[in-house]
Amino acid sequence: MKKVLIGAIFSLLAGCYTPMNNSGVATTKPWIEIPGKRVDFDGKQYDSCVRFNLRFWPQEAADRLDLQQSCITACCWRSEQDEIVLDFNRKFEEEMEKYGHARKYSPDKITLKVTHSNLVNVTKVKVTPQGAIKNSGLVKLSYKEVRDEERIARLAEQRAYRTQQIAQMQEEASKPLATASVIQPQLHPAVTNQQSGAVRPVATTVQTGETLAKSILQQKAGAKIDTYFYQMNKTYRQQGALFMLSSRLFSPRMQEDGTYLVTCHAKARTGIDEKHLNTSDFPCGVWLVDLATQMVLPYDKKAKQINE
């Protein structure tokens, strides 16, 4: 019995990659790493953290894996996960639905079963199917490209439709305002014309008046303008598109009667995805601001639409 035990120990040691590698633990393969271990009060190991230093061909196969959960970019405690499954076709159906084509790999799964012998202080991994991982840590897979031509055609139609919808929304939002839609401002009672000879209250400087006009507009109509852009963003998302809005910009212009016309607009980037974005200018109305009464009125068609 003693001879059998000694023979088994020597057989196990003969298969070791190196005695006492990381954390003082021997492994049977050079691609097995042991960054850490846990020992009891007697110094005996009862757990270890195992990482697999693997490479893949084709490299895209690694995209199908959760590299952290698979103990490739992070080590995993053996007591918590002693069997790891590398499922290379896990996202196959998802990619087929999204793109209409996807790779199908073989072998579809590789199982790694981790065991440790305290008797000889060796950690080993059983690989199924056998030989799926080279001694150098290379995982070499074969694959075939699967295509669903009907799905690809439908996706192309959907992209074309979304592109058309986005273009229409941009055209509508950026459409120049007709002159006929402009509402002529009325003089405030406190502001008289030159024939009356009265002095009308105006800001002491143009800069101060412009600042006040912008501030009053933001206070009185800022929430409605934000809601307008929120709804626009919601519409883009419903079309499966992106709408990335910058800050609102206000351009005031003083009128002869001392009131201000404040033009609101914002820059935005829109498109079907982040790789296909266009920059556009989106108007948010022209607003009449009276500094004396702090009154804000929609001045053009777009402002009236937002103010409703």
Side-chain angles (χ1 to χ4, degrees):
M1 180 67 181
K2 185 176 181 181
K3 290 182 179 180
V4 173
L5 179 60
I6 293 173
I9 293 173
F10 276 104
S11 297
L12 185 58
L13 288 173
C16 292
Y17 161 61
T18 176
M20 306 306 177
N21 77 333
N22 297 324
S23 301
V25 180
T27 60
T28 56
K29 296 292 182 182
W31 45 269
I32 304 173
E33 296 182 358
I34 314 293
K37 64 180 180 179
R38 293 167 176 164
V39 296
D40 58 21
F41 291 110
D42 296 326
K44 295 181 179 179
Q45 181 193 144
Y46 67 89
D47 201 359
S48 57
C49 203
V50 182
R51 190 182 83 86
F52 307 122
N53 186 17
L54 300 177
R55 298 175 292 113
F56 299 90
W57 189 94
Q59 294 183 359
E60 294 82 2
D63 296 338
R64 294 279 184 85
L65 304 176
D66 185 328
L67 297 178
Q68 184 171 348
Q69 290 294 322
S70 299
C71 314
I72 295 172
T73 57
C75 69
C76 305
W77 289 104
R78 179 165 41 86
S79 61
E80 299 172 359
Q81 191 176 1
D82 65 346
E83 182 173 283
I84 295 89
V85 178
L86 308 181
D87 187 350
F88 295 100
N89 290 326
R90 179 171 61 96
K91 296 183 179 180
F92 174 76
E93 295 295 339
E94 178 183 332
E95 291 180 13
M96 286 295 294
E97 178 68 19
K98 187 174 182 180
Y99 305 112
H101 61 88
R103 288 180 176 182
K104 197 157 196 178
Y105 291 100
S106 180
D108 61 339
K109 294 180 181 179
I110 296 177
T111 302
L112 305 173
K113 177 70 175 178
V114 183
T115 57
H116 178 78
S117 171
N118 274 328
L119 181 64
V120 290
N121 192 29
V122 173
T123 295
K124 63 184 297 186
V125 176
K126 180 182 178 182
V127 180
T128 306
Q130 187 176 3
I133 302 177
K134 305 297 182 184
N135 195 56
S136 63
L138 176 64
V139 181
K140 191 172 183 180
L141 305 166
S142 61
Y143 67 90
K144 62 179 179 179
E145 190 79 26
V146 181
R147 296 177 62 86
D148 183 341
E149 298 299 339
E150 290 186 3
R151 178 61 180 164
I152 292 173
R154 285 197 301 271
L155 290 171
E157 291 177 357
Q158 292 173 7
R159 285 193 297 269
Y161 176 75
R162 287 201 304 270
T163 300
Q164 182 182 11
Q165 291 294 103
I166 292 169
Q168 290 176 352
M169 286 189 292
Q170 289 177 333
E171 181 181 358
E172 181 65 27
S174 304
K175 187 179 296 182
L177 301 171
T179 304
S181 66
V182 176
I183 305 171
Q184 296 299 323
Q186 299 296 321
L187 292 178
H188 186 269
V191 181
T192 60
N193 56 30
Q194 294 180 356
Q195 293 178 351
S196 66
V199 179
R200 57 174 180 257
V202 295
T204 55
T205 65
V206 173
Q207 180 64 35
T208 302
E210 290 178 350
T211 303
L212 287 173
K214 291 191 288 185
S215 177
I216 293 171
L217 175 59
Q218 288 176 308
Q219 292 175 11
K220 301 290 185 179
K224 291 184 177 180
I225 293 172
D226 288 343
T227 300
Y228 167 71
F229 281 118
Y230 171 79
Q231 293 296 335
M232 185 178 293
N233 179 48
K234 185 177 179 180
T235 301
Y236 271 80
R237 288 204 312 269
Q238 289 172 347
Q239 298 294 334
L242 297 178
F243 181 82
M244 303 171 67
L245 186 70
S246 67
S247 301
R248 265 64 84 201
L249 303 174
F250 301 101
S251 303
R253 187 176 74 256
M254 188 173 68
Q255 305 301 293
E256 291 183 359
D257 61 357
T259 60
Y260 281 82
L261 290 181
V262 184
T263 302
C264 172
H265 66 100
K267 297 288 185 181
R269 301 176 67 197
T270 61
I272 57 176
D273 54 48
E274 292 183 357
K275 295 181 180 179
H276 303 87
L277 292 176
N278 299 311
T279 301
S280 303
D281 188 279
F282 289 87
C284 39
V286 179
W287 303 80
L288 174 65
V289 179
D290 189 327
L291 303 186
T293 62
Q294 295 194 356
M295 180 179 63
V296 173
L297 293 174
Y299 188 75
D300 70 346
K301 186 177 180 180
K302 178 64 69 177
K304 289 179 64 178
Q305 174 191 345
I306 295 172
N307 193 59
E308 290 178 351

